[in-house]
Amino acid sequence: MIKTEQQVTMTIDVSQEGAWSVIGSGKDVHKWFPEMIRTCELKGNTRVCGTDHGDIIEEVLKIDNENKEFKYAFIEQNMVPDIHNLVGTMKVLSNEEEQTMINWKWTFDAKDADVASQAKEAFKGAGTMGIKGLEAYVKTLGK
């Protein structure tokens, strides 16, 4: 197994509070990431997101309102085969201009270098798409 990580950081045109209100709730992922997530339900610390490839089952590990950090572990997923111990972290940050930045990071173990490379590309694309979707959704909420 190869320990691997991928992250995407983007500046978006919404308030930090608006972005965090959506991320920190842990629910409604299907509303801001409809390209991949069809349904999303949060029960306790278990989140189940339905996709065209089956359900993704996640355990919410941390919701840190003070530092605007949401961390979750994938219990079951069928989208990226041959990876294990997948953990995602989303953080709402600000830059020098007080703009809202989203950092979405994944750490995981990959079967081999080819799998690691393919997974990193998949997460890079998904992260970019998801953050853009988050920005668009927060704007519809007027936050």
Side-chain angles (χ1 to χ4, degrees):
M1 289 287 175
I2 299 171
K3 275 246 181 263
T4 308
E5 78 172 44
Q6 177 63 299
Q7 63 182 328
V8 175
T9 302
M10 294 176 62
T11 301
I12 59 174
D13 187 28
V14 297
S15 72
Q16 293 171 41
E17 293 73 24
W20 177 246
S21 71
V22 172
I23 294 169
S25 75
K27 54 187 179 179
D28 295 335
V29 178
H30 61 293
K31 293 182 179 178
W32 56 268
F33 204 177
E35 298 87 353
M36 292 187 80
I37 307 298
R38 303 292 178 232
T39 61
C40 181
E41 189 173 356
L42 181 65
K43 288 184 179 177
N45 69 339
T46 301
R47 182 165 69 179
V48 179
C49 296
T51 75
D52 291 342
H53 303 284
D55 286 346
I56 298 171
I57 301 172
E58 302 165 339
E59 177 185 358
V60 176
L61 302 175
K62 176 174 29 172
I63 300 174
D64 181 344
N65 290 306
E66 184 177 334
N67 296 303
K68 297 180 177 70
E69 179 179 359
F70 183 89
K71 187 172 185 177
Y72 58 102
F74 289 76
I75 306 303
E76 183 180 312
Q77 62 88 24
N78 297 315
M79 298 184 73
V80 186
D82 298 324
I83 65 170
H84 305 281
N85 303 318
L86 176 57
V87 175
T89 305
M90 294 187 82
K91 291 183 181 181
V92 179
L93 308 164
S94 66
N95 61 18
E96 301 80 35
E97 292 82 37
E98 290 299 310
Q99 295 171 307
T100 302
M101 294 174 47
I102 304 297
N103 175 267
W104 199 348
K105 176 180 169 183
W106 303 267
T107 59
F108 55 94
D109 297 328
K111 182 177 91 171
D112 57 37
D114 286 341
V115 169
S117 177
Q118 291 170 7
K120 286 179 75 159
E121 277 303 305
F123 288 123
K124 182 179 177 183
T128 300
M129 186 185 317
I131 293 170
K132 287 179 180 177
L134 173 70
E135 177 182 36
Y137 178 63
V138 172
K139 284 181 176 181
T140 68
L141 300 174
K143 295 184 179 184

